[in-house]
């Protein structure tokens, strides 16, 4: 399955494992490793938020939901646009310079959705 996926992706002659194929590896695998996929894709953001009480995951979700529009993202987050830029800079440091390239952005958006689906439910507000 992995070999056929590499060939279809135009990567003939390349070696890879299902985990290196990102979300495609999750889809193609007979033993889905969602947690491993999340860890590889956005685990550094999840860990950073947990350790520091920040909201980088939320900032990235909001940025993508705003179609990459900084003004819409700052309005949705109720923060200054410079704060959005600072958070995106931190995200770039944690995820790598390619975090917003088309393929990586797709993978990150899928990861964010999976993270939301698999995260523990928040207690109801009083």
């Amino acid at each position: 399955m992995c070999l056929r996926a590499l060939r279809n992706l135009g990567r003939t002659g390349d070696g890879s494992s299902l985990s290196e194929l990102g979300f495609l590896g999750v889809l193609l695998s007979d033993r889905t490793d969602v947690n491993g996929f999340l860890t590889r894709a956005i685990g550094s953001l999840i860990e950073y938020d947990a350790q520091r009480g920040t909201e980088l995951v939320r900032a990235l979700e909001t940025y993508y939901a705003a179609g990459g529009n900084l003004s819409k993202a700052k309005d949705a987050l109720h923060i200054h646009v410079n704060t959005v830029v600072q958070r995106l800079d931190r995200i770039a440091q944690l995820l790598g310079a390619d975090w917003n390239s088309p393929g990586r952005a797709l993978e990150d958006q899928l990861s964010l959705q999976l993270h939301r689906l698999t995260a523990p439910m928040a207690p109801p507000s009083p």
Side-chain angles (χ1 to χ4, degrees):
M1 184 69 73
C2 188
L3 181 60
R4 187 172 72 218
L6 287 171
R7 191 174 328 118
N8 290 343
L9 292 170
R11 294 178 49 187
T12 303
D14 287 350
S16 187
S17 66
L18 286 172
S19 66
E20 291 171 332
L21 289 175
F23 75 93
L24 292 175
V26 172
L27 294 174
L28 297 173
S29 176
D30 58 347
R31 50 180 177 38
T32 305
D33 182 15
V34 172
N35 288 331
F37 171 66
L38 288 174
T39 298
R40 286 185 300 278
I42 60 168
S44 57
L45 294 184
I46 296 167
E47 185 177 326
Y48 189 93
D49 281 352
Q51 290 177 350
R52 291 173 178 79
T54 55
E55 293 187 322
L56 295 181
V57 169
R58 181 172 173 247
L60 188 57
E61 285 177 322
T62 304
Y63 173 77
Y64 283 135
N69 183 303
L70 293 174
S71 181
K72 289 180 182 178
K74 69 121 176 138
D75 289 343
L77 291 166
H78 306 291
I79 57 178
H80 194 275
V81 70
N82 289 346
T83 305
V84 176
V85 171
Q86 290 169 355
R87 290 182 185 178
L88 293 176
D89 286 345
R90 175 65 61 187
I91 288 167
Q93 290 174 353
L94 293 167
L95 296 184
D98 70 336
W99 74 273
N100 209 16
S101 66
R104 179 65 191 268
L106 173 61
E107 189 160 297
D108 290 344
Q109 290 177 63
L110 291 170
S111 300
L112 291 165
Q113 293 292 323
L114 284 171
H115 174 63
R116 184 181 298 139
L117 291 172
T118 60
M121 295 219 12
S125 51

